Amino acid sequence: VAFPAEVKASPAAAANGGRILIIGDSWGTVSPATEFFQKELTEHNCTPGFPGFQNIAIGGTTAKLWASPLLMPKVKKAAAEADHVWITLGGNDALEQCPPCAAAGGSAVKCAEELITKATGWVKTIMDGIHEANPNAQIVGFGYDIMFGGTFKGLPADVKCLY
Protein backbone atom coordinates (compact mmCIF):
# COMPACT_ATOMS: atom_id res chain seq x y z
CA VAL A 1 0.00 0.00 0.00
CA ALA A 2 1.51 3.33 -1.05
CA PHE A 3 0.99 6.26 1.26
CA PRO A 4 0.75 9.86 0.04
CA ALA A 5 3.31 12.41 1.19
CA GLU A 6 2.57 13.65 4.67
CA VAL A 7 2.41 17.22 5.91
CA LYS A 8 2.98 17.74 9.62
CA ALA A 9 0.88 20.19 11.57
CA SER A 10 2.57 23.44 12.54
CA PRO A 11 2.57 24.85 16.09
CA ALA A 12 0.23 27.61 14.85
CA ALA A 13 -2.27 25.05 13.53
CA ALA A 14 -2.09 23.17 16.81
CA ALA A 15 -2.67 26.36 18.78
CA ASN A 16 -5.90 27.22 16.93
CA GLY A 17 -7.30 23.67 16.99
CA GLY A 18 -7.42 23.49 13.21
CA ARG A 19 -5.45 20.37 12.39
CA ILE A 20 -7.44 18.25 9.92
CA LEU A 21 -6.75 14.62 9.00
CA ILE A 22 -8.50 12.88 6.11
CA ILE A 23 -8.49 9.09 5.96
CA GLY A 24 -10.34 6.78 3.63
CA ASP A 25 -10.73 5.78 0.02
CA SER A 26 -10.61 7.59 -3.31
CA TRP A 27 -13.28 10.07 -2.27
CA GLY A 28 -10.79 11.28 0.34
CA THR A 29 -8.10 11.60 -2.30
CA VAL A 30 -10.31 13.29 -4.90
CA SER A 31 -12.46 15.56 -2.72
CA PRO A 32 -9.70 18.02 -1.83
CA ALA A 33 -9.31 18.69 -5.55
CA THR A 34 -12.99 19.40 -6.17
CA GLU A 35 -14.12 22.98 -6.57
CA PHE A 36 -16.69 22.87 -3.74
CA PHE A 37 -14.44 21.23 -1.16
CA GLN A 38 -11.47 23.39 -2.10
CA LYS A 39 -13.63 26.52 -1.72
CA GLU A 40 -14.76 25.44 1.75
CA LEU A 41 -11.20 24.75 2.88
CA THR A 42 -9.99 28.06 1.47
CA GLU A 43 -12.75 29.96 3.30
CA HIS A 44 -11.44 28.44 6.53
CA ASN A 45 -7.78 29.15 5.68
CA CYS A 46 -7.05 25.46 5.33
CA THR A 47 -5.96 24.11 2.00
CA PRO A 48 -3.85 21.13 1.00
CA GLY A 49 -0.33 22.20 1.86
CA PHE A 50 -1.60 24.18 4.88
CA PRO A 51 0.52 23.03 7.83
CA GLY A 52 -2.51 21.68 9.71
CA PHE A 53 -3.87 19.59 6.84
CA GLN A 54 -2.90 15.92 6.41
CA ASN A 55 -4.48 13.56 3.92
CA ILE A 56 -3.57 9.87 4.20
CA ALA A 57 -6.53 8.60 2.16
CA ILE A 58 -5.73 5.87 -0.35
CA GLY A 59 -7.92 5.17 -3.36
CA GLY A 60 -9.42 1.70 -3.48
CA THR A 61 -9.21 1.05 0.26
CA THR A 62 -11.99 -0.23 2.47
CA ALA A 63 -13.11 0.35 6.04
CA LYS A 64 -12.10 -3.28 6.59
CA LEU A 65 -8.52 -2.45 5.54
CA TRP A 66 -8.32 0.78 7.60
CA ALA A 67 -9.52 -1.17 10.66
CA SER A 68 -6.84 -3.83 10.12
CA PRO A 69 -3.36 -4.08 11.66
CA LEU A 70 -1.93 -2.96 8.30
CA LEU A 71 -3.37 0.58 8.41
CA MET A 72 -4.52 1.10 12.02
CA PRO A 73 -1.02 2.11 13.22
CA LYS A 74 -0.96 4.78 10.49
CA VAL A 75 -4.41 5.99 11.61
CA LYS A 76 -3.37 6.22 15.25
CA LYS A 77 -0.10 8.00 14.50
CA ALA A 78 -1.78 10.61 12.31
CA ALA A 79 -4.84 10.99 14.58
CA ALA A 80 -2.62 11.76 17.58
CA GLU A 81 -1.81 15.10 15.91
CA ALA A 82 -5.29 15.95 14.55
CA ASP A 83 -8.15 17.97 15.96
CA HIS A 84 -10.62 16.85 13.30
CA VAL A 85 -10.63 13.52 11.48
CA TRP A 86 -12.65 13.26 8.28
CA ILE A 87 -13.45 9.69 7.23
CA THR A 88 -14.59 8.81 3.71
CA LEU A 89 -15.29 5.10 3.40
CA GLY A 90 -17.94 2.67 2.25
CA GLY A 91 -18.03 2.42 -1.52
CA ASN A 92 -15.25 -0.12 -1.86
CA ASP A 93 -16.66 -2.11 1.04
CA ALA A 94 -19.95 -2.34 -0.85
CA LEU A 95 -18.11 -3.40 -4.01
CA GLU A 96 -16.22 -6.06 -2.06
CA GLN A 97 -19.06 -7.37 0.13
CA CYS A 98 -22.30 -7.14 -1.86
CA PRO A 99 -21.59 -9.10 -5.08
CA PRO A 100 -20.64 -12.32 -3.26
CA CYS A 101 -23.74 -11.96 -1.07
CA ALA A 102 -25.95 -11.49 -4.14
CA ALA A 103 -24.23 -14.37 -5.96
CA ALA A 104 -25.10 -16.60 -3.00
CA GLY A 105 -28.77 -15.67 -3.45
CA GLY A 106 -29.02 -12.81 -0.97
CA SER A 107 -31.63 -10.14 -1.65
CA ALA A 108 -30.64 -6.49 -1.99
CA VAL A 109 -32.02 -5.85 1.49
CA LYS A 110 -30.18 -8.81 3.03
CA CYS A 111 -26.89 -7.87 1.36
CA ALA A 112 -27.24 -4.21 2.40
CA GLU A 113 -28.00 -5.21 5.99
CA GLU A 114 -24.93 -7.48 6.07
CA LEU A 115 -22.79 -4.69 4.63
CA ILE A 116 -24.05 -2.17 7.18
CA THR A 117 -23.44 -4.58 10.05
CA LYS A 118 -19.88 -5.32 8.93
CA ALA A 119 -19.04 -1.73 7.98
CA THR A 120 -20.40 -0.41 11.27
CA GLY A 121 -18.03 -2.73 13.12
CA TRP A 122 -15.05 -1.66 11.02
CA VAL A 123 -15.87 2.03 11.40
CA LYS A 124 -16.27 1.58 15.15
CA THR A 125 -12.81 -0.06 15.26
CA ILE A 126 -11.37 2.90 13.32
CA MET A 127 -13.06 5.41 15.62
CA ASP A 128 -11.90 3.54 18.71
CA GLY A 129 -8.33 3.65 17.37
CA ILE A 130 -8.58 7.37 16.67
CA HIS A 131 -9.91 8.08 20.16
CA GLU A 132 -7.31 5.81 21.73
CA ALA A 133 -4.63 7.94 20.09
CA ASN A 134 -6.45 11.23 20.67
CA PRO A 135 -9.53 11.26 22.94
CA ASN A 136 -10.34 14.84 21.93
CA ALA A 137 -10.37 14.29 18.15
CA GLN A 138 -13.66 15.15 16.52
CA ILE A 139 -14.67 12.63 13.87
CA VAL A 140 -16.80 13.44 10.85
CA GLY A 141 -17.99 10.69 8.53
CA PHE A 142 -18.62 11.41 4.88
CA GLY A 143 -20.62 8.58 3.33
CA TYR A 144 -21.34 7.91 -0.31
CA ASP A 145 -25.01 8.66 0.28
CA ILE A 146 -24.09 12.26 1.03
CA MET A 147 -22.41 12.52 -2.35
CA PHE A 148 -25.84 11.95 -3.87
CA GLY A 149 -27.91 13.96 -1.37
CA GLY A 150 -29.06 11.20 1.00
CA THR A 151 -28.58 10.56 4.69
CA PHE A 152 -27.10 7.38 6.14
CA LYS A 153 -28.49 6.33 9.49
CA GLY A 154 -26.45 3.19 10.10
CA LEU A 155 -23.22 4.64 11.51
CA PRO A 156 -22.41 4.75 15.21
CA ALA A 157 -23.79 7.80 17.00
CA ASP A 158 -20.48 9.59 17.39
CA VAL A 159 -19.89 9.78 13.64
CA LYS A 160 -21.41 13.01 12.40
CA CYS A 161 -22.61 13.16 8.82
CA LEU A 162 -22.78 16.55 7.16
CA TYR A 163 -25.58 17.94 4.99
Side-chain angles (χ1 to χ4, degrees), residues 60-62 64-65 90-101 115 122:
T61 55
T62 61
K64 180 180 178 179
L65 182 59
N92 295 314
D93 292 285
L95 289 172
E96 182 181 275
Q97 300 293 317
C98 291
C101 175
L115 170 66
W122 296 321

Side-chain angles (χ1 to χ4, degrees), residues 107-160:
S107 68
V109 170
K110 178 183 183 290
C111 295
E113 287 173 351
E114 286 182 11
L115 170 66
I116 289 169
T117 298
K118 290 176 181 179
T120 298
W122 296 321
V123 170
K124 183 176 181 337
T125 297
I126 295 165
M127 292 183 343
D128 288 347
I130 291 167
H131 282 142
E132 180 182 317
N134 183 349
N136 296 316
Q138 294 182 346
I139 301 171
V140 180
F142 292 89
Y144 279 74
D145 62 309
I146 294 168
M147 189 183 305
F148 303 105
T151 57
F152 183 72
K153 302 195 183 338
L155 289 175
D158 54 345
V159 172
K160 301 173 187 169

Side-chain angles (χ1 to χ4, degrees), residues 4 8-9 20 23 28 34-35 41 46 52 59 76 78 82 86 97 117-118 123 128 149 158 163:
K8 294 293 180 189
I20 298 171
I23 70 167
T34 65
E35 185 176 324
L41 288 173
C46 181
K76 289 180 179 180
W86 298 358
Q97 300 293 317
T117 298
K118 290 176 181 179
V123 170
D128 288 347
D158 54 345
Y163 307 107

